[in-house]
Amino acid sequence: DEVHTYEAMKIRLLNGSHQVIAHAGEVLSVKFISECMNHPMIGEFMRMVAREEIALQVAPVPGMTPHEYVQLVDTRFSNPEIVDTVQRVAFDGSSRQTGFILPTLRDALAKGYPIEGLALSQAIWARMCEGTREDGSMIEPNDPIWDKLQANAKVAKTNPQAWLHQRDLYGDLVDNSAFRDRFE
């Protein structure tokens, strides 16, 4: 049981936080995770989501609270000596989102916890899958189901619900009005 608690902390706070920042980094042409953490919007967004939304879903482990772990993750991600590319972390979002973000989102909805940042992270992922950065450069296909994701992301530009109606990814979250409203 203690192993599960450690694993949940790592998956939700470290891996989940990686997903929160990587897609935003791709859209804004940021190359490295440490640069995302120094970006005025991306770093603060990750910190807010991790502290105010994800950490609520994580139990403490011996010697560390969820908020202390958020600080540890922040320090690690901010370290320019740890060279980790946004492209690597953003790869295979269809499995990483469903493994690292959506379970937290689902639990937050069930408990009535805040989800604004988690919902926004899904909109940012959709924006990234559209395939162009804010500077006009192209985002290379980075997911085994890229063509499907990109097609849905392009439709979602004018109909955001098209992204959420990927039941193979979102399952019953599609039916949750609180999530749908915040996503839009």
Side-chain angles (χ1 to χ4, degrees):
D1 210 29
E2 193 171 293
V3 170
H4 177 71
T5 306
Y6 279 98
E7 181 182 45
M9 183 177 275
K10 187 239 182 219
I11 286 172
R12 291 193 177 205
L13 287 170
L14 189 142
N15 299 118
S17 294
H18 250 167
Q19 293 306 294
V20 167
I21 61 175
H23 301 114
E26 274 284 30
V27 169
L28 296 175
S29 303
V30 179
K31 186 169 181 163
F32 298 106
I33 293 298
S34 61
E35 293 171 346
C36 285
M37 295 304 291
N38 292 318
H39 189 280
M41 292 184 294
I42 302 171
E44 284 308 310
F45 176 59
M46 191 280 314
R47 291 176 189 101
M48 184 276 302
V49 173
R51 279 192 313 258
E52 298 174 22
E53 296 181 24
I54 301 173
L56 297 175
Q57 308 287 330
V58 177
V61 297
M64 186 161 299
T65 68
H67 285 94
E68 289 168 333
Y69 194 72
V70 169
Q71 185 56 50
L72 182 69
V73 167
D74 188 332
T75 300
R76 178 177 178 228
F77 288 0
S78 298
N79 184 348
E81 298 296 315
I82 300 174
V83 180
D84 199 0
T85 66
V86 165
Q87 184 179 29
R88 183 198 74 78
V89 175
F91 178 77
D92 197 14
S94 62
S95 71
R96 293 179 184 200
Q97 292 292 320
T98 56
F100 305 146
I101 296 291
L102 298 184
T104 304
L105 178 59
R106 201 170 261 107
D107 288 350
L109 286 163
K111 295 174 183 171
Y113 290 166
I115 63 156
E116 287 76 10
L118 292 167
L120 180 56
S121 76
Q122 296 308 289
I124 294 168
W125 179 39
R127 171 60 183 83
M128 187 206 76
C129 289
E130 184 273 334
T132 57
R133 294 182 182 90
E134 287 294 303
D135 65 10
S137 63
M138 300 302 293
I139 297 171
E140 295 298 317
N142 72 351
D143 194 285
I145 60 170
W146 179 259
D147 291 341
K148 173 186 171 290
L149 294 172
Q150 189 174 44
N152 284 314
K154 287 182 180 208
V155 173
K157 287 175 78 171
T158 56
N159 175 14
Q161 294 303 312
W163 182 260
L164 296 182
H165 282 283
Q166 298 179 92
R167 284 200 181 267
D168 56 322
L169 300 174
Y170 289 101
D172 63 349
L173 286 172
V174 172
D175 304 319
N176 188 298
S177 62
F179 173 53
R180 282 194 323 264
D181 293 348
R182 285 169 182 85
F183 176 83
E184 287 184 3

